């Protein structure tokens, strides 16, 4: 069901066939948790082609393509704009040729007569038709013909018009509509799917067969198969209806996705649906009784008078409302993840403020009326029920027709989770007290950290550091927060989502570093629904490290939501910085829906390119840039002169980048975007964003974020903090140089130390290598992330690495004012997971990396 952080999906399954309707973000993670085998999926149907319904499709296709030696083949169906999505995905899915995409509906082109094209698709389009099920598609495009009445009261009651008149009326309506809209735009088309099971034939009556002169034998079988036969004793044909009891009509299920009021008007006018309405007095034997209607439409549409009027036409059909419903938010879609989040929040609410289990009150800002506007009312005028996770509706056998609630996950309250934790680990009560003590004194409750007082709150000798960076002097809590939204690698698992880091600059906006599938859902789990919307509105820049799917497939969902949230507000497009293959994907995708963004290739944001840009800008304008662009301590990021450390002896020889600056022609072409980036950085209080090449796949990068310097009340100049994010990489000189003097180094640590060979083969780092890079570069704090899914809860890490290091968990929020005590929390985190240090989920994991 839809719990605001995921889109609803429906699984239609038979003994040997599986069909999924819609594959939004989080589908794969949900199925992993509930052990739903996606490897058995034969067909995926999209009710619309957009990030909301198809956000989980790239990851799902990559997973299926990686199953077995040959990979799994799956059919993907959708309206004609599906081809744009497939074209876009080909830029990063190497197995795209294995995907059998089947689009249907009118051609989407400006030189095509829309009225003529649409008139070809008045009748249902049969997609699947076998002995098990018949699945048809009925197209719904937004109606912009305001003068056309969908149907009159007379139409709803009785109609004396002939079938021909109806067809003419429908054709005229479509023609009129398409004249005013000129063409069907990509992303506009919606689909009603009709699933029809075959009728159950009546019981064979041998006595009736004998009365028609038939002898027992093969002819009995023929009649049961629906064939007529010649009587053995009489010169007559015997038909199946002569010897079979009354048949039982097969169940009919409709899946309806009606995204806007304009779609509702078209839905009401569709002649192809009239055979399913119960309120027509001229209903003949061709009329079909609909067993169940599943509504995927948003709540604002479900409650509209026109939609309600349309729903009533199905009479006694059962309706399941699966759209957005505010009540659902208190039911975590990912139960295991919520349970971990609740335990972490109980132990250390300073680093883990997300409660895991939200209440509707927590999710609504004061003064917000959104709660009232997003409720689905269960109607008294027709049979309806609200969807639940894993709610089933049985279609066969006929005797069990109806709801089956046996698989609905049981709900565990927050108090039950915490009581269970106290029972499992009694020492956790003392740990909670000790952790809270870490934040007492100058480091926690006060808004500022005074460097000279830092020794008063430190107990362990290794934390009694005199080298607290000067950038932390008088730091404010509203200066910077780093939120680790996703800390796993390859694909989402029960406990860790894929890579994404939210950089919260508070009143100055925010950024994302990588944006794997489910990033939006993670933002909602961290900040609540309204808070996540505010976070997305405030995004100024999204930086993507490389083209692997686990680092960017959540991007289109975030961009589409930001576009919608700011539609009526003056704003500037968000800046997306990434490798050039990402631009190919986004350019192809934007044919489908506008993403309201500007794209800048990472190669233009390397140290060498930025220096070349500054030189060109100075020559053109005879003035330097608004803000300085320099390496953070005089080192050349694109290849320092220092000798290569022994850290880099074991690694891939693959060089996935060029070290020189971009050519002058490239720089001139990128000049407007680089100036725009500089404007965005200045407004965010940042001095620099510098990408540097790393060793992983072609065009892989890490990034430096450097805050502008501050002046305190005494007039003292305080340098800005520096964050370095490694992306995915082997240890390399470029990363070492970039990390020098970092306030926080966020480094991937995919493998434990014993798996060095695998780390080398896959161009990843081990935990020791990540920590050694941070130590050698003099980073103040090291945060390890991007863990292999073989460590679903807590990875293996040696004690000697602890003194400046912390392990990242999903939704961990590191405020810059808390960096002093950050490593001190790690022993308590290990206590929390002492009974489950390593649980291998690898049998369910298929990598998303090419």
């Amino acid at each position: 069901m839809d719990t605001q952080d995921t889109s609803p999906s429906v699984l239609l399954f038979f003994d040997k066939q599986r069909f999924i309707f819609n594959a939004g973000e989080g589908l794969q993670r949900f199925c992993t948790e509930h052990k739903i085998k996606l490897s058995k999926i034969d067909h995926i149907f999209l009710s619309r082609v957009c990030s909301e319904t198809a956000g989980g499709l790239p990851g799902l296709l990559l997973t299926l393509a990686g199953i077995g030696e040959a990979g799994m083949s799956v059919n993907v169906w959708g309206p004609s704009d599906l081809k744009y999505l497939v074209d876009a995905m080909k830029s990063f899915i190497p197995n795209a040729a294995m995907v059998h995409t089947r689009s249907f509906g009118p051609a989407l082109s400006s030189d095509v007569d829309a009225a003529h094209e649409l008139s070809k698709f008045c009748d249902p389009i049969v997609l699947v038709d076998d002995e098990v099920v018949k699945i048809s598609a009925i197209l719904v495009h937004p109606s912009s013909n305001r003068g056309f009445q969908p149907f009159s009261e007379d139409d709803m009651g009785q109609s004396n018009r002939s079938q021909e008149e109806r067809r003419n009326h429908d054709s005229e309506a479509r023609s009129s509509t398409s004249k005013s809209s000129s063409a069907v735009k990509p992303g506009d088309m919606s689909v009603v799917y009709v699933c029809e099971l075959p009728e159950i034939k009546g019981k064979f009556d041998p006595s009736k067969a004998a009365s028609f002169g038939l002898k027992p034998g093969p002819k009995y079988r023929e009649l049961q198969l629906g064939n007529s036969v010649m009587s053995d004793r009489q010169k007559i044909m015997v038909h199946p209806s002569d010897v079979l009891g009354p048949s039982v009509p097969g169940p009919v299920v409709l899946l309806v996705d009606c995204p806007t009021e304009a779609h509702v008007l078209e839905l009401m006018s569709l002649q192809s649906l009239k055979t399913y309405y119960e309120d027509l007095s001229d209903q003949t034997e061709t009329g079909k009784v609909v067993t169940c209607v599943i509504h995927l439409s948003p709540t604002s549409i479900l409650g509209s008078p026109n939609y309600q009027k349309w729903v009533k036409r199905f009479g006694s059909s059962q309706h399941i409302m699966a759209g957005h419903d505010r009540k659902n938010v208190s039911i975590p879609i990912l139960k295991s993840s919520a349970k971990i989040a609740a335990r972490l929040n109980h132990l250390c609410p300073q680093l883990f403020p997300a409660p895991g289990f939200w209440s509707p009150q927590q999710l609504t800002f004061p003064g917000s009326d959104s709660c009232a506007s997003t409720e689905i009312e269960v109607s008294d005028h027709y049979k309806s029920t609200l969807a639940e996770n894993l709610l089933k509706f049985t279609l066969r056998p006929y005797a069990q027709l109806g709801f089956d609630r046996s698989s609905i996950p049981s709900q565990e309250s927050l108090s039950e989770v915490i009581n269970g934790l106290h029972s499992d680990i009694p020492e956790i009560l003392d740990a909670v007290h000790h952790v809270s003590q870490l934040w007492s004194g100058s480091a926690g409750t006060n808004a500022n950290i005074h460097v000279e007082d830092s020794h008063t709150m430190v107990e362990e000798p290794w934390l009694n550091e005199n080298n607290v960076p000067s950038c932390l002097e008088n730091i404010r809590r509203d200066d910077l927060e780093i939120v680790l939204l996703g800390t796993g690698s390859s694909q989402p698992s029960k406990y860790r989502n894929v890579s994404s880091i939210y950089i919260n600059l508070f009143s100055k906006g925010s950024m994302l570093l990588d944006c794997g599938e489910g990033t939006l859902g993670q933002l909602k789990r961290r900040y609540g629904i309204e808070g996540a919307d505010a976070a997305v509105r405030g995004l100024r820049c999204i930086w993507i490290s490389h083209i692997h799917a686990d680092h960017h497939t959540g991007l289109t969902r975030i961009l589409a939501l930001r576009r919608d949230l700011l539609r009526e507000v003056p704003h500037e497009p968000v800046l997306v910085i990434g490798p050039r293959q990402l631009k190919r994907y986004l350019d192809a995708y934007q044919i489908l829906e506008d993403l309201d963004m500007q794209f800048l290739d990472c190669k233009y944001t390397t140290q060498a390119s930025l220096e070349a840009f500054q030189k060109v800008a100075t020559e053109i304008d005879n003035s330097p840039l608004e803000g300085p662009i320099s390496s953070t301590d005089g080192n050349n990021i694109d290849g320092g002169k220092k000798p290569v450390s022994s850290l880099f002896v074991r690694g891939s020889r693959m060089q996935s980048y060029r070290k020189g600056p971009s050519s002058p022609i490239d720089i001139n072409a990128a000049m407007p975007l680089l100036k725009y980036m500089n404007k965005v950085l200045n407004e965010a209080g940042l001095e620099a964003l510098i990408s540097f090449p790393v060793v992983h796949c072609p065009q892989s990068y890490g990034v430096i974020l450097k805050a502008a310097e501050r002046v305190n009340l005494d007039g003292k100049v305080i340098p800005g903090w520096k964050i370095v994010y490694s992306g995915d990489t082997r240890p390399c000189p470029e990363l070492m140089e970039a990390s020098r003097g970092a306030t926080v180094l966020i480094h991937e640590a995919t493998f434990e130390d014993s798996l060095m060979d695998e780390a080398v083969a896959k161009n990843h780092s081990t935990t020791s290598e990540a920590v050694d890079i941070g130590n050698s570069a003099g980073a103040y704090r090291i945060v390890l992330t991007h863990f292999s899914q073989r460590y679903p809860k807590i990875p293996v890490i040696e004690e000697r690495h602890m003194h400046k290091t912390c392990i990242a968990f999903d939704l961990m929020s590191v405020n810059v004012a808390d960096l002093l005590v950050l490593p001190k929390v790690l022993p308590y985190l290990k206590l929390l997971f002492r009974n489950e240090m390593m649980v291998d989920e690898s049998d369910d994991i298929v990598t998303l990396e090419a």
Side-chain angles (χ1 to χ4, degrees), residues 11-22:
L11 173 66
L12 172 65
F13 62 96
F14 301 91
D15 287 342
K16 296 181 180 178
Q17 284 182 292
R18 302 284 190 278
F19 307 89
I20 275 191
F21 296 86
N22 287 349

Side-chain angles (χ1 to χ4, degrees), residues 647-648 650 694-696 726-732 735 747-753 755-756 758-771 773 784-788 791:
L647 278 174
F648 316 122
R650 295 197 67 187
V694 295
V695 178
H696 184 55
S726 68
D728 285 8
T729 185
R730 289 290 300 143
C732 61
L735 176 57
H747 200 301
E748 73 116 296
T750 309
F751 296 105
E752 63 179 288
D753 295 349
L755 297 175
M756 172 66 83
E758 196 167 347
V760 171
K762 295 183 177 180
N763 279 332
H764 283 298
S765 300
T766 65
T767 50
S768 287
E769 287 177 324
V771 173
I773 284 280
L784 302 181
T785 186
H786 197 267
F787 300 110
S788 167
Y791 320 113

Side-chain angles (χ1 to χ4, degrees), residues 135 235 431 530 655 718 844:
I135 299 178
K235 292 183 179 180
E530 306 291 348
Q655 296 298 305
I718 301 174
D844 291 328

Side-chain angles (χ1 to χ4, degrees), residues 26-38:
L27 171 65
Q28 195 172 181
R29 196 175 179 197
F30 178 81
C31 291
T32 298
E33 172 151 350
H34 295 285
K35 296 182 169 51
I36 297 168
K37 294 293 185 183
L38 291 170

